[in-house]
Structure formats: structure tokens, C-alpha cells
Amino acid sequence: MTARMSKWAGSAVLVALLVATLVPFFLLIYFSFKDQIEILVDFWGLPSALKWENYSAAWDAVKASIGHSLYVCFVTVLGAVLLGSLSGFVFARHRFPLRGLLYLMLIGVMMIPSLLNIVPLYAIINNLGFTNSYLGLILPYIAGTQLLGIMLCRTFYESLPQELFEAARIDGGGEFYVYSRIALPLSLPILVTVAIVTFLAVYSDYLWPFIVLSQEHQTFTMAAVGLNRSGRTDIGLSFAAYIVGSVPTILLILFGMKYYIEGMVTGAVKA
Amino acid sequence: MNTARWKRYGLSYLFLLPSFLFIVVFLYYPVILAFFHSFTDWNLVQSKWTGLRNFRTMFGDSSFRTGAVNQVIYTLTDVVKAIVFPLIAAELIFLIGGPRIKYTFRTGFILPMLLPGIVTILLWQNIYDPNNGLLNQLLTLVGLESWVHAWLGEDSTALWAIVFYNFPFIAGLPFLIFYAAIGNMSQEQIEAARIDGANGWQVFTRIHLPFLVPQFKVVTILTIIGSLQDFVKIMVMTGGGPGVATTNPAMIMYNAAFGSSQYGYGSAIGVSLFLVILALTLFNMKFLKTDY
């Protein structure tokens, strides 16, 4: 086989793989513009007109749940970013007894499979009276998601020149001043990575909200599955709802692709 | 601790307190609870010590054995899925050259990652739908009506329908890992081999594959650990059915705890899976250690 032929064959395979990868994606968009009759009777046919009303109905069906998801995501991200940077700062800049052991405790926790914790964590949330409350989601989420922040911030703060912090101390700033006025602003790019990875993980989670929350407090992922269960009747509407609910993740990944991939790869490889 | 020491170190501990409060209460304490209650009959309020009964129940349960066999199938296929197509895609992208083309294909392959995972699961459930699913419609279109199935509803097809979920398995972390590694390869060695007369296949098998061994190890171990814990797609697509045809141990754990309030039994299954994962992780650290 000549080089040119193999290149041609390679391209053909690649295009086939890409098409196969994107088929569900196109199906999602295509069917979101069809109504139920058109899907049942004429599966392949073009919609007679774009059914934008699918989207307005879908918006009504999922807007409350998207609000719940966004609220949970924002509070979790805030917690993860603050705790991650604060503890990362301490591990990078302070010397104190048991420092190594405590850091090992943080890293060690990543070895615990989340599966093991589902049942007992539910018991804890239940005993605290947080079932069917967003706290039951947010508190465990913060506990887990702060770890990536601690790791990344520690590495970052260690790379900064010590003089920077010394100068602030000499000027009379306390430790909290040094952290909040020097360390925190400088680490903004790292914190963006942490925020994006955290937001996407929390927004996409289905299992934990499904266990903890009731229908009236449901998150978007719960609403999506719910639509599918009851909603065999209207695929177009369901698909439009999936797209509407994906807007936050789509926007976040498009704008923060670099940060997202960096955080994901770091998190996966270090875990 | 005397006051001088406390003054010196107290602030460090004070700053760490919130983080550790979260970690101890929501990560370490549950582990202790899980281990303790795996030996009990537990309804979240009260528990009764039952020794190893939960573990005996587990091994004596025929649906658990089915789930364990399914898990072996899921895990083996998950590893193959994580390596074969993502590697082919990453290799081919570099074969066909051109930065613009590279960028287009890479972006195309990771496009489905824009959707929350649950949306992809729901889409695939729809693809397998007996009446207006893409797969049956496609078979009908090309005249293969006899191949039409209720893919997720029949004993003989449900498990493989779940295995083929997300075909061709490229959108995801393994693809990014392989893509990054191939991009970082030194081109001089490959050029030298080319000049010596090596063809594309030889370059791939003699240079690329050995170079990628660390990535294969990382992807394999991450995939196995993920595979053992993965049951949301089973839960949403089939609920483990029909019967127990697609169930796995994690799914049985979930059903035991949240379906029939056997929290002790659920904990025992969780602990067992944890021990398997721990053994694999230690094996990985000892024998497959990589610098990646």
C-alpha cells in the first residue's frame, strides 16, 4: 500500500468514526425540531416546519430544575474554591507538625471509591435531617470537590517566590490578609479550572440527587430522566429539554475547554 | 502543647479545620460506617450484629452471581472499548496531518462531551427503543427487518446493548490521553525509522505501541476502577433487567439499600467491591507503576 493510499484509507476510517460518534448528537438536535407524529410516522423525514414550540414547552418543563441545579452548583463551586485555595495555601506556605500526615489524609481519601460511600453517606445525611434539602447535596459535594483545588493550589503556591508573601507580612498583614489579598487573586486561573471541573461534575450528577431529593426539588438530571420515563409520549419535547438543560455545560466547556481538559486530566491521573 | 507553640501553629490548624471537617464527616466517617454495618442488619436507625451473614448471603445469592459474571463481561469489554477505538482515532488523526484537520477531528470527537452524561444515556436508551429507536429504524431502512429487536427488553440482547452503549466509544478521557501522548512523541525517532525503510505499520507496532505503554496502564486501571462502580447507565436503561440479565454488583448494592432498605447488605456489597478495587490499585502500584 502506498503512503497516499494509506492516508486515503485512514481518512475514510476517521470520517466513519467521527460520523458514528456524532450520530446521537445530530439525532438529539434533529428530533428536537420534530413533533411526535412526524417521528412515529416518518422517522427519517424532515420536519414539516421547525417545531420551536417543543422548546418553549421544554423550557416550562425543566426551568425550575435547571434553577435548582445551578443553585447547587454555584454554592458547591464557591465552597470548593474557597476551601481548596485556603488549605492549599496552608500546605504550601506553613510548616507545622503533622503536615505530611494531614496531606496524606487528603490524598488518601481519593483512593476511596465513591461507590462505598453511597449507602453510609445517605445514612449520615438522613440523620442530619438533610434529606430532601440542597444541603444534603452541597455538603458532600464540597467535601469531595475541594480536593482537586487543594492539590492544584498547593502546587501553584509552592511555585510562587517566598518574598512575595514576606513583603506582605512585613507591611503588617496578618495571615488571612496574605491569603485573601495575595494568594487568592494570584491563583485565579487555577481556581477557574477547579470551578469548571466542579461545576460540570455536580451539574451532571444524577445518582446522588436522585437518592437525596424529592421530585419538587429535582435537579435537571432528575427531570431529564423523569421526562424519559413518563415522556415516551413526546420525544421531540424530551429532546428539546435535554438540549435546554445542556446549555450550561455546553457554554462552560466551549469557553473553558483548555481549563476543563487540564483539570480533568490532572484529576484523573492523580486520583 | 504550650502557648508559644500553639500561637505558632494554631493558625495553620485553624485554617485547615473547615477542609478537614468536611473530609472527616463526609468521606472518612462513611467508610467506617460502611465497614461496621457490613456486619450488621441495619435500618439506618438501629443495627443488629450479624457477623458474616451479609457476606454469606451475597455469595449464596444467584442474582449476585449473575451480576458478578456480567461485571466480568462489562469490565473486560470496557477495557477493550477504552483502548481500541480511541487509539485508532488518535493515531489516524496524526496520520492524515494538517493542523486544521487535526483540530477539526479532535474537536469533533470530543463534541459529545458537551452534554451531561445522563443525556447521552437517555439518547442511547432512545436509540435502542423498539418502535422509534434509531437502530431498528436503520435496520428496517436497509431491509433487515428480521434483525429488529427490543434491544434493552430481551434477555439475549440487553447485556450487549449496554456493552455497545456509546459506540464507537471515542468521546472521553482515554482519547484525550492517547491524543496528548502521540502529540508529544519525538518525531526524530520516527523519521529515522522511516529512512531505514520502516512502513507505517512497523512504525506503529515498533515505536508507537511501546511508547504508549504507560498510557495503556493508566487507561486500563482507571477503566477497571470506573467499571466496577458504574451502574447509573444500567439503572436508567434497564434497571438491571429483564430479570437480572444486565445487573451488576453495584446495581444490586443500590437495590438492596434503596429498594428494599437492607442497608447492611448493601454495605457488605460496597465493602466487597472496595476490597476488589483496593487489591487492583495495590497491584497496579506494585507491578504496573508508571511515571505518567
Short mmCIF file of all heavy atoms in Angstrom, two decimals, chain A residues 11 22-23 40 43 87 90 94-95 97 102 105-106 113-115 117 120 123-124 146 175 210 228 232 235 246 249 253 268-269, chain B residues 9 11-13 15 18-20 23 28-30 42 95-96 108 113-114 116 125 129 132 134 137 168 173 229 254 273-274 292:
data_model
loop_
_atom_site.label_atom_id
_atom_site.label_comp_id
_atom_site.label_asym_id
_atom_site.label_seq_id
_atom_site.Cartn_x
_atom_site.Cartn_y
_atom_site.Cartn_z
N SER A 11 -8.16 8.38 6.28
CA SER A 11 -9.17 9.45 6.34
C SER A 11 -10.57 8.87 6.29
O SER A 11 -11.47 9.33 7.02
CB SER A 11 -8.99 10.41 5.16
OG SER A 11 -7.64 10.80 5.07
N LEU A 22 -20.87 11.18 16.22
CA LEU A 22 -21.75 12.35 16.27
C LEU A 22 -23.22 12.04 15.97
O LEU A 22 -24.08 12.91 16.15
CB LEU A 22 -21.23 13.43 15.30
CG LEU A 22 -19.88 14.02 15.67
CD1 LEU A 22 -19.46 15.07 14.66
CD2 LEU A 22 -19.91 14.63 17.08
N VAL A 23 -23.52 10.80 15.53
CA VAL A 23 -24.90 10.47 15.19
C VAL A 23 -25.89 10.77 16.33
O VAL A 23 -26.89 11.45 16.12
CB VAL A 23 -25.03 9.00 14.71
CG1 VAL A 23 -26.44 8.49 14.85
CG2 VAL A 23 -24.59 8.91 13.25
N LEU A 40 -43.10 9.27 14.71
CA LEU A 40 -43.71 7.94 14.63
C LEU A 40 -43.96 7.52 13.19
O LEU A 40 -43.68 6.39 12.81
CB LEU A 40 -45.03 7.91 15.41
CG LEU A 40 -44.91 7.96 16.93
CD1 LEU A 40 -46.27 7.98 17.58
CD2 LEU A 40 -44.10 6.77 17.44
N PHE A 43 -40.07 8.60 10.38
CA PHE A 43 -38.89 8.69 11.24
C PHE A 43 -37.77 9.50 10.58
O PHE A 43 -37.15 10.34 11.20
CB PHE A 43 -38.39 7.28 11.56
CG PHE A 43 -37.24 7.24 12.53
CD1 PHE A 43 -37.47 7.22 13.89
CD2 PHE A 43 -35.93 7.23 12.08
CE1 PHE A 43 -36.43 7.17 14.79
CE2 PHE A 43 -34.87 7.18 12.97
CZ PHE A 43 -35.13 7.16 14.33
N SER A 87 -6.78 25.72 52.09
CA SER A 87 -5.97 24.60 52.55
C SER A 87 -4.73 24.41 51.69
O SER A 87 -3.66 24.05 52.20
CB SER A 87 -6.80 23.31 52.58
OG SER A 87 -7.79 23.42 53.56
N VAL A 90 -2.21 26.82 53.04
CA VAL A 90 -1.60 26.38 54.29
C VAL A 90 -0.56 25.30 54.02
O VAL A 90 0.56 25.35 54.54
CB VAL A 90 -2.67 25.86 55.27
CG1 VAL A 90 -2.02 25.25 56.51
CG2 VAL A 90 -3.61 26.99 55.67
N HIS A 94 2.84 27.01 55.07
CA HIS A 94 3.04 26.86 56.52
C HIS A 94 3.83 25.59 56.80
O HIS A 94 3.72 24.61 56.09
CB HIS A 94 1.69 26.77 57.25
CG HIS A 94 0.94 28.06 57.27
ND1 HIS A 94 -0.18 28.26 58.03
CD2 HIS A 94 1.16 29.23 56.60
CE1 HIS A 94 -0.63 29.49 57.84
NE2 HIS A 94 0.17 30.10 56.97
N ARG A 95 4.65 25.67 57.85
CA ARG A 95 5.33 24.47 58.34
C ARG A 95 4.79 24.19 59.73
O ARG A 95 4.82 25.06 60.60
CB ARG A 95 6.84 24.70 58.41
CG ARG A 95 7.49 24.90 57.06
CD ARG A 95 7.50 23.60 56.26
NE ARG A 95 7.95 23.83 54.89
CZ ARG A 95 7.14 24.18 53.89
NH1 ARG A 95 5.85 24.35 54.11
NH2 ARG A 95 7.62 24.35 52.68
N PRO A 97 3.62 20.74 62.74
CA PRO A 97 3.67 19.30 62.99
C PRO A 97 2.50 18.59 62.30
O PRO A 97 1.42 19.16 62.17
CB PRO A 97 3.53 19.21 64.51
CG PRO A 97 3.87 20.55 65.04
CD PRO A 97 3.51 21.53 63.97
N LEU A 102 -1.27 14.92 57.46
CA LEU A 102 -2.56 15.51 57.10
C LEU A 102 -2.73 15.57 55.59
O LEU A 102 -3.81 15.30 55.06
CB LEU A 102 -2.69 16.92 57.70
CG LEU A 102 -2.88 16.96 59.22
CD1 LEU A 102 -2.89 18.40 59.72
CD2 LEU A 102 -4.16 16.26 59.63
N MET A 105 -3.65 12.30 54.34
CA MET A 105 -5.07 12.02 54.60
C MET A 105 -5.94 12.54 53.47
O MET A 105 -6.94 11.93 53.10
CB MET A 105 -5.50 12.70 55.91
CG MET A 105 -5.60 11.78 57.09
SD MET A 105 -6.20 12.69 58.53
CE MET A 105 -7.98 12.55 58.29
N LEU A 106 -5.56 13.70 52.95
CA LEU A 106 -6.33 14.30 51.84
C LEU A 106 -6.19 13.48 50.57
O LEU A 106 -7.17 13.19 49.87
CB LEU A 106 -5.83 15.72 51.55
CG LEU A 106 -6.14 16.80 52.57
CD1 LEU A 106 -5.42 18.07 52.19
CD2 LEU A 106 -7.63 17.04 52.62
N PRO A 113 -13.30 4.50 46.81
CA PRO A 113 -14.27 4.57 45.72
C PRO A 113 -15.58 5.18 46.20
O PRO A 113 -16.04 4.88 47.30
CB PRO A 113 -14.46 3.11 45.30
CG PRO A 113 -13.95 2.30 46.43
CD PRO A 113 -13.00 3.13 47.22
N SER A 114 -16.15 6.05 45.38
CA SER A 114 -17.37 6.75 45.80
C SER A 114 -18.50 5.76 46.03
O SER A 114 -19.40 5.99 46.84
CB SER A 114 -17.78 7.76 44.75
OG SER A 114 -17.97 7.12 43.51
N LEU A 115 -18.43 4.63 45.35
CA LEU A 115 -19.47 3.61 45.48
C LEU A 115 -19.64 3.15 46.93
O LEU A 115 -20.75 2.98 47.42
CB LEU A 115 -19.09 2.41 44.61
CG LEU A 115 -20.10 1.28 44.58
CD1 LEU A 115 -21.13 1.57 43.53
CD2 LEU A 115 -19.41 -0.02 44.29
N ASN A 117 -19.24 4.75 49.56
CA ASN A 117 -19.80 5.77 50.45
C ASN A 117 -21.28 6.06 50.23
O ASN A 117 -21.88 6.74 51.05
CB ASN A 117 -19.02 7.08 50.29
CG ASN A 117 -17.78 7.07 51.15
OD1 ASN A 117 -17.63 6.19 52.00
ND2 ASN A 117 -16.89 8.02 50.94
N PRO A 120 -23.63 4.60 53.35
CA PRO A 120 -23.43 5.26 54.65
C PRO A 120 -23.59 6.78 54.59
O PRO A 120 -24.06 7.39 55.55
CB PRO A 120 -22.01 4.88 55.04
CG PRO A 120 -21.35 4.46 53.78
CD PRO A 120 -22.41 3.88 52.91
N ALA A 123 -27.05 7.57 55.08
CA ALA A 123 -27.42 7.45 56.50
C ALA A 123 -27.05 8.72 57.25
O ALA A 123 -27.84 9.24 58.05
CB ALA A 123 -26.72 6.24 57.11
N ILE A 124 -25.86 9.27 56.97
CA ILE A 124 -25.41 10.49 57.65
C ILE A 124 -26.32 11.66 57.30
O ILE A 124 -26.80 12.39 58.18
CB ILE A 124 -23.95 10.80 57.28
CG1 ILE A 124 -23.02 9.72 57.84
CG2 ILE A 124 -23.54 12.17 57.81
CD1 ILE A 124 -21.60 9.80 57.33
N GLN A 146 -13.31 19.77 46.86
CA GLN A 146 -12.25 20.66 47.32
C GLN A 146 -10.86 20.04 47.10
O GLN A 146 -9.86 20.76 47.03
CB GLN A 146 -12.44 20.98 48.80
CG GLN A 146 -12.35 19.74 49.66
CD GLN A 146 -12.30 20.05 51.15
OE1 GLN A 146 -12.01 21.15 51.54
NE2 GLN A 146 -12.60 19.05 51.96
N GLU A 175 -1.99 36.70 58.50
CA GLU A 175 -2.02 35.54 57.60
C GLU A 175 -3.24 35.57 56.69
O GLU A 175 -3.16 35.26 55.51
CB GLU A 175 -2.02 34.23 58.41
CG GLU A 175 -0.66 33.67 58.70
CD GLU A 175 0.22 33.62 57.46
OE1 GLU A 175 -0.04 32.81 56.56
OE2 GLU A 175 1.17 34.42 57.40
N PHE A 210 -30.87 12.01 42.95
CA PHE A 210 -31.99 11.08 42.85
C PHE A 210 -32.22 10.38 44.20
O PHE A 210 -33.35 10.14 44.60
CB PHE A 210 -31.70 10.04 41.76
CG PHE A 210 -32.81 9.05 41.56
CD1 PHE A 210 -34.00 9.43 40.96
CD2 PHE A 210 -32.65 7.73 41.98
CE1 PHE A 210 -35.03 8.52 40.78
CE2 PHE A 210 -33.68 6.82 41.80
CZ PHE A 210 -34.87 7.21 41.20
N ASN A 228 -38.14 11.17 30.40
CA ASN A 228 -37.99 9.98 29.58
C ASN A 228 -38.91 8.87 30.07
O ASN A 228 -39.46 8.11 29.27
CB ASN A 228 -36.54 9.53 29.64
CG ASN A 228 -36.25 8.51 28.57
OD1 ASN A 228 -36.59 8.72 27.43
ND2 ASN A 228 -35.67 7.40 28.95
N ARG A 232 -42.48 8.95 27.04
CA ARG A 232 -42.50 8.20 25.79
C ARG A 232 -43.46 8.87 24.81
O ARG A 232 -43.41 8.62 23.63
CB ARG A 232 -42.94 6.76 26.07
CG ARG A 232 -41.94 6.00 26.84
CD ARG A 232 -41.09 5.14 25.93
NE ARG A 232 -39.72 5.13 26.37
CZ ARG A 232 -38.73 5.47 25.57
NH1 ARG A 232 -38.94 5.86 24.34
NH2 ARG A 232 -37.50 5.42 25.99
N ILE A 235 -41.25 12.61 22.27
CA ILE A 235 -39.79 12.56 22.15
C ILE A 235 -39.23 13.92 21.78
O ILE A 235 -38.21 14.34 22.32
CB ILE A 235 -39.38 11.51 21.08
CG1 ILE A 235 -39.85 10.13 21.53
CG2 ILE A 235 -37.88 11.51 20.87
CD1 ILE A 235 -39.69 9.08 20.47
N SER A 246 -28.73 21.23 28.71
CA SER A 246 -27.30 21.09 28.45
C SER A 246 -26.62 22.42 28.17
O SER A 246 -25.39 22.47 28.07
CB SER A 246 -27.06 20.16 27.25
OG SER A 246 -27.64 18.90 27.47
N THR A 249 -23.67 23.35 30.48
CA THR A 249 -22.42 22.59 30.27
C THR A 249 -21.80 22.94 28.92
O THR A 249 -20.58 23.06 28.82
CB THR A 249 -22.66 21.07 30.35
OG1 THR A 249 -23.51 20.66 29.28
CG2 THR A 249 -23.26 20.66 31.66
N ILE A 253 -18.02 24.48 28.74
CA ILE A 253 -16.93 23.74 28.10
C ILE A 253 -16.39 24.53 26.90
O ILE A 253 -15.19 24.60 26.70
CB ILE A 253 -17.39 22.33 27.68
CG1 ILE A 253 -17.73 21.51 28.92
CG2 ILE A 253 -16.28 21.62 26.90
CD1 ILE A 253 -18.24 20.13 28.63
N ALA A 268 -7.88 12.96 36.96
CA ALA A 268 -7.96 11.53 36.67
C ALA A 268 -6.63 10.84 36.92
O ALA A 268 -6.58 9.76 37.49
CB ALA A 268 -8.38 11.32 35.22
N VAL A 269 -5.55 11.49 36.53
CA VAL A 269 -4.26 10.83 36.62
C VAL A 269 -3.74 10.82 38.05
O VAL A 269 -3.13 9.86 38.49
CB VAL A 269 -3.26 11.49 35.66
CG1 VAL A 269 -1.87 10.93 35.86
CG2 VAL A 269 -3.70 11.24 34.23
N TYR B 9 1.53 27.51 65.64
CA TYR B 9 0.93 26.56 64.71
C TYR B 9 -0.59 26.61 64.67
O TYR B 9 -1.21 26.09 63.76
CB TYR B 9 1.35 25.12 65.08
CG TYR B 9 2.83 24.91 65.05
CD1 TYR B 9 3.51 24.42 66.16
CD2 TYR B 9 3.55 25.20 63.89
CE1 TYR B 9 4.88 24.21 66.12
CE2 TYR B 9 4.92 25.00 63.85
CZ TYR B 9 5.58 24.51 64.97
OH TYR B 9 6.93 24.31 64.92
N LEU B 11 -2.80 28.78 64.01
CA LEU B 11 -3.44 29.38 62.85
C LEU B 11 -3.50 28.41 61.67
O LEU B 11 -4.49 28.33 60.96
CB LEU B 11 -2.69 30.66 62.46
CG LEU B 11 -3.47 31.64 61.60
CD1 LEU B 11 -4.70 32.14 62.34
CD2 LEU B 11 -2.57 32.81 61.21
N SER B 12 -2.39 27.65 61.48
CA SER B 12 -2.36 26.67 60.39
C SER B 12 -3.51 25.68 60.57
O SER B 12 -4.24 25.38 59.62
CB SER B 12 -1.04 25.92 60.39
OG SER B 12 0.03 26.82 60.35
N TYR B 13 -3.62 25.16 61.81
CA TYR B 13 -4.67 24.17 62.05
C TYR B 13 -6.05 24.80 61.90
O TYR B 13 -6.98 24.17 61.37
CB TYR B 13 -4.51 23.54 63.43
CG TYR B 13 -3.24 22.73 63.57
CD1 TYR B 13 -2.30 23.03 64.55
CD2 TYR B 13 -2.99 21.67 62.71
CE1 TYR B 13 -1.14 22.29 64.67
CE2 TYR B 13 -1.82 20.93 62.82
CZ TYR B 13 -0.90 21.25 63.80
OH TYR B 13 0.24 20.52 63.90
N PHE B 15 -6.92 27.22 59.95
CA PHE B 15 -7.22 27.37 58.52
C PHE B 15 -7.60 26.03 57.88
O PHE B 15 -8.38 25.99 56.93
CB PHE B 15 -6.01 27.95 57.78
CG PHE B 15 -5.91 29.46 57.87
CD1 PHE B 15 -6.69 30.17 58.76
CD2 PHE B 15 -5.02 30.16 57.06
CE1 PHE B 15 -6.60 31.54 58.85
CE2 PHE B 15 -4.93 31.54 57.13
CZ PHE B 15 -5.71 32.23 58.04
N PRO B 18 -11.84 23.78 58.44
CA PRO B 18 -13.03 23.56 57.60
C PRO B 18 -12.86 22.40 56.62
O PRO B 18 -13.73 21.52 56.54
CB PRO B 18 -13.17 24.88 56.84
CG PRO B 18 -12.41 25.88 57.60
CD PRO B 18 -11.33 25.15 58.34
N SER B 19 -11.72 22.37 55.92
CA SER B 19 -11.49 21.29 54.96
C SER B 19 -11.59 19.92 55.63
O SER B 19 -12.24 19.01 55.12
CB SER B 19 -10.11 21.43 54.32
OG SER B 19 -10.15 22.37 53.28
N PHE B 20 -10.94 19.81 56.80
CA PHE B 20 -10.89 18.51 57.43
C PHE B 20 -12.22 18.12 58.06
O PHE B 20 -12.56 16.94 58.12
CB PHE B 20 -9.73 18.44 58.43
CG PHE B 20 -8.45 18.08 57.75
CD1 PHE B 20 -7.68 19.06 57.14
CD2 PHE B 20 -8.04 16.77 57.64
CE1 PHE B 20 -6.52 18.74 56.46
CE2 PHE B 20 -6.89 16.42 56.97
CZ PHE B 20 -6.12 17.42 56.38
N ILE B 23 -13.99 16.58 55.24
CA ILE B 23 -13.42 15.29 54.83
C ILE B 23 -13.74 14.20 55.84
O ILE B 23 -14.13 13.10 55.49
CB ILE B 23 -11.89 15.43 54.65
CG1 ILE B 23 -11.61 16.18 53.36
CG2 ILE B 23 -11.24 14.06 54.60
CD1 ILE B 23 -10.18 16.57 53.20
N TYR B 28 -14.42 10.15 55.46
CA TYR B 28 -13.84 9.09 56.28
C TYR B 28 -14.88 8.38 57.16
O TYR B 28 -14.90 7.16 57.25
CB TYR B 28 -12.69 9.62 57.15
CG TYR B 28 -11.38 9.69 56.40
CD1 TYR B 28 -10.82 10.89 56.02
CD2 TYR B 28 -10.71 8.52 56.05
CE1 TYR B 28 -9.63 10.94 55.31
CE2 TYR B 28 -9.51 8.56 55.34
CZ TYR B 28 -8.99 9.77 54.97
OH TYR B 28 -7.82 9.80 54.27
N TYR B 29 -15.73 9.18 57.78
CA TYR B 29 -16.74 8.58 58.65
C TYR B 29 -17.64 7.60 57.90
O TYR B 29 -17.90 6.50 58.40
CB TYR B 29 -17.53 9.70 59.35
CG TYR B 29 -18.60 9.22 60.29
CD1 TYR B 29 -18.33 8.26 61.27
CD2 TYR B 29 -19.90 9.72 60.21
CE1 TYR B 29 -19.32 7.82 62.13
CE2 TYR B 29 -20.90 9.30 61.06
CZ TYR B 29 -20.60 8.34 62.02
OH TYR B 29 -21.60 7.91 62.86
N PRO B 30 -18.11 7.92 56.67
CA PRO B 30 -18.92 6.94 55.93
C PRO B 30 -18.18 5.62 55.70
O PRO B 30 -18.80 4.55 55.75
CB PRO B 30 -19.19 7.63 54.59
CG PRO B 30 -18.98 9.06 54.82
CD PRO B 30 -18.04 9.21 55.97
N TRP B 42 -29.16 -3.48 59.27
CA TRP B 42 -29.18 -2.05 59.55
C TRP B 42 -30.37 -1.40 58.86
O TRP B 42 -30.58 -1.60 57.67
CB TRP B 42 -27.87 -1.44 59.04
CG TRP B 42 -27.63 0.00 59.34
CD1 TRP B 42 -28.11 0.72 60.39
CD2 TRP B 42 -26.82 0.90 58.59
NE1 TRP B 42 -27.64 2.01 60.34
CE2 TRP B 42 -26.85 2.14 59.25
CE3 TRP B 42 -26.05 0.77 57.42
CZ2 TRP B 42 -26.15 3.25 58.76
CZ3 TRP B 42 -25.36 1.88 56.96
CH2 TRP B 42 -25.41 3.11 57.63
N LEU B 95 -1.91 10.66 11.48
CA LEU B 95 -1.50 10.13 10.18
C LEU B 95 -1.89 11.08 9.06
O LEU B 95 -1.12 11.30 8.12
CB LEU B 95 -2.14 8.75 9.96
CG LEU B 95 -1.87 8.10 8.58
CD1 LEU B 95 -0.45 7.57 8.52
CD2 LEU B 95 -2.86 6.98 8.30
N ILE B 96 -3.10 11.64 9.13
CA ILE B 96 -3.56 12.42 7.99
C ILE B 96 -3.05 13.86 7.99
O ILE B 96 -3.26 14.58 7.03
CB ILE B 96 -5.09 12.39 7.83
CG1 ILE B 96 -5.75 13.03 9.04
CG2 ILE B 96 -5.61 10.99 7.62
CD1 ILE B 96 -7.20 13.34 8.80
N GLY B 108 -14.25 17.45 16.94
CA GLY B 108 -15.42 16.64 16.60
C GLY B 108 -15.61 15.47 17.54
O GLY B 108 -16.71 15.19 18.00
N MET B 113 -18.94 15.34 24.58
CA MET B 113 -18.66 15.61 25.99
C MET B 113 -19.34 16.88 26.47
O MET B 113 -19.40 17.14 27.67
CB MET B 113 -17.15 15.74 26.22
CG MET B 113 -16.44 14.40 26.20
SD MET B 113 -14.64 14.56 26.16
CE MET B 113 -14.35 15.42 27.68
N LEU B 114 -19.85 17.68 25.54
CA LEU B 114 -20.57 18.89 25.94
C LEU B 114 -21.85 18.56 26.68
O LEU B 114 -22.37 19.37 27.43
CB LEU B 114 -20.92 19.72 24.70
CG LEU B 114 -19.79 20.30 23.86
CD1 LEU B 114 -20.35 20.99 22.64
CD2 LEU B 114 -18.97 21.29 24.68
N PRO B 116 -24.28 16.65 29.41
CA PRO B 116 -24.19 15.92 30.67
C PRO B 116 -24.34 14.43 30.39
O PRO B 116 -25.12 14.03 29.51
CB PRO B 116 -25.38 16.45 31.48
CG PRO B 116 -25.74 17.73 30.85
CD PRO B 116 -25.38 17.63 29.40
N GLN B 125 -30.69 5.14 25.21
CA GLN B 125 -31.90 4.39 25.52
C GLN B 125 -32.90 4.57 24.38
O GLN B 125 -33.55 3.63 23.95
CB GLN B 125 -32.49 4.90 26.84
CG GLN B 125 -33.65 4.06 27.32
CD GLN B 125 -34.19 4.57 28.63
OE1 GLN B 125 -34.24 5.77 28.87
NE2 GLN B 125 -34.58 3.67 29.49
N ASP B 129 -34.72 1.98 21.42
CA ASP B 129 -36.16 1.86 21.56
C ASP B 129 -36.74 0.95 20.46
O ASP B 129 -36.39 1.09 19.30
CB ASP B 129 -36.79 3.25 21.48
CG ASP B 129 -38.26 3.24 21.83
OD1 ASP B 129 -39.08 2.87 20.95
OD2 ASP B 129 -38.59 3.59 22.97
N ASN B 132 -39.52 3.55 17.93
CA ASN B 132 -38.95 4.70 17.23
C ASN B 132 -37.51 4.93 17.63
O ASN B 132 -37.06 6.05 17.76
CB ASN B 132 -39.80 5.96 17.43
CG ASN B 132 -40.33 6.04 18.83
OD1 ASN B 132 -39.58 5.78 19.77
ND2 ASN B 132 -41.61 6.36 18.98
N LEU B 134 -33.45 4.61 16.75
CA LEU B 134 -32.64 4.74 15.55
C LEU B 134 -32.17 3.38 15.02
O LEU B 134 -32.19 3.12 13.82
CB LEU B 134 -31.42 5.62 15.86
CG LEU B 134 -30.45 5.84 14.71
CD1 LEU B 134 -31.06 6.76 13.68
CD2 LEU B 134 -29.14 6.42 15.21
N GLN B 137 -34.94 1.44 13.24
CA GLN B 137 -35.32 2.19 12.04
C GLN B 137 -34.26 2.03 10.96
O GLN B 137 -34.58 1.89 9.78
CB GLN B 137 -35.51 3.67 12.38
CG GLN B 137 -36.68 3.96 13.30
CD GLN B 137 -38.02 3.87 12.59
OE1 GLN B 137 -38.09 3.81 11.37
NE2 GLN B 137 -39.09 3.83 13.37
N PRO B 168 -18.85 4.66 18.87
CA PRO B 168 -17.60 3.89 18.95
C PRO B 168 -16.67 4.30 20.11
O PRO B 168 -15.46 4.17 19.97
CB PRO B 168 -16.97 4.19 17.61
CG PRO B 168 -17.44 5.56 17.25
CD PRO B 168 -18.75 5.77 17.92
N LEU B 173 -12.08 10.49 28.21
CA LEU B 173 -10.73 10.69 28.72
C LEU B 173 -9.66 9.87 27.99
O LEU B 173 -8.60 10.41 27.66
CB LEU B 173 -10.73 10.42 30.22
CG LEU B 173 -9.47 10.82 30.97
CD1 LEU B 173 -9.25 12.32 30.88
CD2 LEU B 173 -9.58 10.40 32.43
N GLN B 229 -17.64 0.46 39.48
CA GLN B 229 -18.54 1.36 40.21
C GLN B 229 -19.71 1.84 39.36
O GLN B 229 -20.60 2.51 39.83
CB GLN B 229 -17.76 2.60 40.66
CG GLN B 229 -16.56 2.30 41.49
CD GLN B 229 -16.01 3.55 42.11
OE1 GLN B 229 -16.69 4.23 42.86
NE2 GLN B 229 -14.77 3.87 41.81
N TYR B 254 -27.18 -1.02 45.21
CA TYR B 254 -28.14 0.08 45.22
C TYR B 254 -29.55 -0.42 45.54
O TYR B 254 -30.25 0.13 46.38
CB TYR B 254 -28.12 0.80 43.87
CG TYR B 254 -29.17 1.87 43.76
CD1 TYR B 254 -28.92 3.15 44.24
CD2 TYR B 254 -30.43 1.59 43.24
CE1 TYR B 254 -29.89 4.13 44.17
CE2 TYR B 254 -31.40 2.55 43.17
CZ TYR B 254 -31.14 3.82 43.64
OH TYR B 254 -32.11 4.78 43.59
N LEU B 273 -16.76 -4.70 46.98
CA LEU B 273 -16.27 -4.04 45.77
C LEU B 273 -15.05 -3.18 46.08
O LEU B 273 -14.10 -3.12 45.30
CB LEU B 273 -17.37 -3.19 45.14
CG LEU B 273 -18.46 -3.97 44.41
CD1 LEU B 273 -19.65 -3.08 44.09
CD2 LEU B 273 -17.91 -4.58 43.12
N PHE B 274 -15.09 -2.51 47.24
CA PHE B 274 -13.96 -1.69 47.65
C PHE B 274 -12.70 -2.54 47.78
O PHE B 274 -11.62 -2.14 47.33
CB PHE B 274 -14.27 -0.99 48.97
CG PHE B 274 -13.08 -0.36 49.62
CD1 PHE B 274 -12.41 0.68 48.99
CD2 PHE B 274 -12.60 -0.81 50.85
CE1 PHE B 274 -11.29 1.28 49.58
CE2 PHE B 274 -11.49 -0.22 51.44
CZ PHE B 274 -10.84 0.82 50.79
N TYR B 292 3.73 8.31 34.52
CA TYR B 292 2.81 9.21 33.82
C TYR B 292 2.08 10.11 34.78
O TYR B 292 1.53 9.66 35.77
CB TYR B 292 1.80 8.41 33.00
CG TYR B 292 0.84 9.27 32.25
CD1 TYR B 292 1.27 9.93 31.09
CD2 TYR B 292 -0.45 9.47 32.69
CE1 TYR B 292 0.41 10.73 30.40
CE2 TYR B 292 -1.32 10.28 32.00
CZ TYR B 292 -0.88 10.91 30.84
OH TYR B 292 -1.72 11.72 30.14
#
